[in-house]
Amino acid sequence: MKSEKIYIKAPQNIGFKAFAVIAYILLFAAQRLPALSIEAAELRDVSENFSVSSLALGNFIKFFDYFAVPADGGAISIIVIAAAALALGLIVLALSLFPYRGVQVVNFVLSVLGTLTSIALAILITVFVPIWNADGSRADILIFSARHVIIWAPTLLFILGTIFIYAYAKMPSYRLADGRFFKTLFNALAPKNFPSTFRKKDNTEAMFRATVPLKQKKYATMSEPGSLKKVRKESAKRRGKADYTQVLDEFEAAEKKLSKLQMAINRREHAERIANRSADSENRALLNKKKKSAAKTARPSAYSSQKRSAAPADKRARALEIAKLKAKHAEEIADKNNKIY
């Protein structure tokens, strides 16, 4: 049975790296969202919002200086950790664009550091906001508030990027057209495969493909080849108008390009088809004969029936024998060519 070729579409050609890149782009956007706000207690509509990037650039300290409020160790720690989280976010986004496995292993380590840094930043902001609001020297001047959903968004995106960049380092050749998305992802994240990540050669993907059947064999290419389109258009124009001699010439030209081994294989298959066709015709003849004999009311004499069936049976046996000899001869040629090549 001839299998149908399914052509890969562009979305089916993306792999785990694409998910990591998307997560890191969203991380860069989330680090610019306002996560911490400060309002003046006695001044109307005087407030400032700070994101991870603005904290890292020192705008937090400038606001403290404006109101002549000393920055304690907690504020300095938040600024330093925010700068580290911002720098790691930009680094992992840049490294995730490279296709090399070694680079992605380094990127995985940096992503883990970025995740830990982002967690530490979110915890520090959550802890110090109530302390600042309860401090008498600040409570009369400034009111601090934190948006907890936005604080933890970079952490979540760091975790997603870390997972997919690690999966890409373990399965660099995987794409959505292969299917088995979650099974492949869980196999890449399996703890038993972690030690092989830092070796020169990681056989995780090879072992997985050897045991789990994927759908990649169903697909042919990214898009239909241009030569195939051209042939199909020309055949559509000539449909119903093709000259038999022209078709024969094209067949002979194609046959000249075949190797001796391929020609021998084709001859053997042709001989097998002839033998099968002869056997089918013989079976049909015997079946028809049985139907006719069952329909007759009067039985013919043994001598006449033997005389009628003897000649066709000998003829059929001879044709079948010739076809078998041709098939055997073709197989001998193919075996001989196999030994030569």
Side-chain angles (χ1 to χ4, degrees):
M1 182 176 67
K2 186 178 180 181
S3 60
E4 182 183 358
K5 291 183 179 180
I6 304 174
Y7 294 96
I8 299 175
K9 299 178 181 178
Q12 294 172 319
N13 199 42
I14 63 175
F16 291 130
K17 188 178 75 170
F19 291 94
V21 172
I22 292 171
Y24 289 139
I25 291 174
L26 294 176
L27 168 65
F28 178 74
Q31 287 179 336
R32 300 175 64 86
L33 296 175
L36 178 65
S37 64
I38 304 177
E39 297 178 1
E42 297 181 354
L43 299 176
R44 183 179 296 177
D45 297 332
V46 178
S47 63
E48 187 72 21
N49 295 320
F50 299 97
S51 62
V52 174
S53 59
S54 60
L55 288 171
L57 297 175
N59 295 333
F60 195 41
I61 290 294
K62 291 180 181 178
F63 202 79
F64 269 71
D65 293 340
Y66 180 78
F67 284 94
V69 177
D72 58 2
I76 301 299
S77 300
I78 287 174
I79 292 171
V80 172
I81 294 177
L86 179 63
L88 288 170
L90 292 174
I91 290 171
V92 296
L93 175 59
L95 290 180
S96 62
L97 301 176
F98 292 91
Y100 306 107
R101 178 184 170 274
V103 175
Q104 300 312 320
V105 172
V106 175
N107 196 12
F108 164 69
V109 176
L110 295 178
S111 299
V112 173
L113 294 177
T115 303
L116 297 176
T117 305
S118 184
I119 292 173
L121 178 63
I123 292 175
L124 279 177
I125 293 177
T126 305
V127 169
F128 275 96
V129 163
I131 295 175
W132 288 333
N133 287 330
D135 190 358
S137 61
R138 295 187 180 89
D140 298 335
I141 304 172
L142 303 175
I143 300 173
F144 297 86
S145 61
R147 296 179 177 90
H148 297 286
V149 176
I150 298 176
I151 290 173
W152 291 99
T155 303
L156 178 61
L157 292 170
F158 252 124
I159 292 173
L160 289 176
T162 303
I163 289 173
F164 283 110
I165 211 65
Y166 176 72
Y168 175 72
K170 302 293 289 183
M171 306 278 190
S173 300
Y174 176 81
R175 52 184 177 172
L176 292 182
D178 292 337
R180 310 273 186 169
F181 178 80
F182 292 104
K183 192 175 185 66
T184 309
L185 181 63
F186 292 150
N187 183 79
L189 300 177
K192 64 177 182 179
N193 299 325
F194 183 77
S196 61
T197 306
F198 303 96
R199 296 173 186 169
K200 188 175 181 180
K201 291 184 178 180
D202 187 2
N203 62 348
T204 302
E205 185 173 12
M207 295 294 293
F208 177 72
R209 288 181 180 273
T211 55
V212 179
L214 301 179
K215 295 192 299 184
Q216 190 177 16
K217 292 181 180 179
K218 289 174 58 179
Y219 297 92
T221 179
M222 276 290 293
S223 60
E224 190 176 7
S227 58
L228 187 59
K229 291 181 181 179
K230 185 178 179 181
V231 170
R232 194 179 66 252
K233 288 180 180 178
E234 290 179 355
S235 61
K237 291 179 181 178
R238 297 197 310 258
R239 191 173 290 126
K241 301 179 182 179
D243 187 9
Y244 177 77
T245 56
Q246 181 181 358
V247 174
L248 188 60
D249 293 338
E250 291 177 358
F251 176 78
E252 290 177 355
E255 191 177 8
K256 289 180 181 179
K257 296 179 182 179
L258 298 176
S259 62
K260 293 181 180 179
L261 175 61
Q262 189 61 42
M263 290 175 64
I265 293 173
N266 292 343
R267 291 194 186 99
R268 183 181 63 185
E269 292 177 353
H270 180 64
E272 289 176 353
R273 285 196 296 269
I274 292 175
N276 292 332
R277 194 179 299 119
S278 300
D280 291 339
S281 62
E282 183 180 358
N283 291 331
R284 282 195 298 269
L286 290 174
L287 183 61
N288 293 333
K289 183 180 177 181
K290 287 181 180 179
K291 290 181 179 179
K292 289 180 180 179
S293 61
K296 288 182 179 179
T297 54
R299 292 186 178 180
S301 62
Y303 176 77
S304 60
S305 61
Q306 182 179 2
K307 186 177 180 181
R308 283 197 303 270
S309 60
D314 294 339
K315 189 176 181 181
R316 286 194 299 270
R318 181 173 177 78
L320 182 60
E321 187 66 22
I322 291 173
K324 289 181 179 179
L325 289 174
K326 288 182 180 179
K328 184 178 179 181
H329 180 64
E331 288 177 356
E332 290 175 356
I333 294 174
D335 293 338
K336 183 178 179 180
N337 290 324
N338 281 329
K339 293 178 181 180
I340 293 175
Y341 292 100

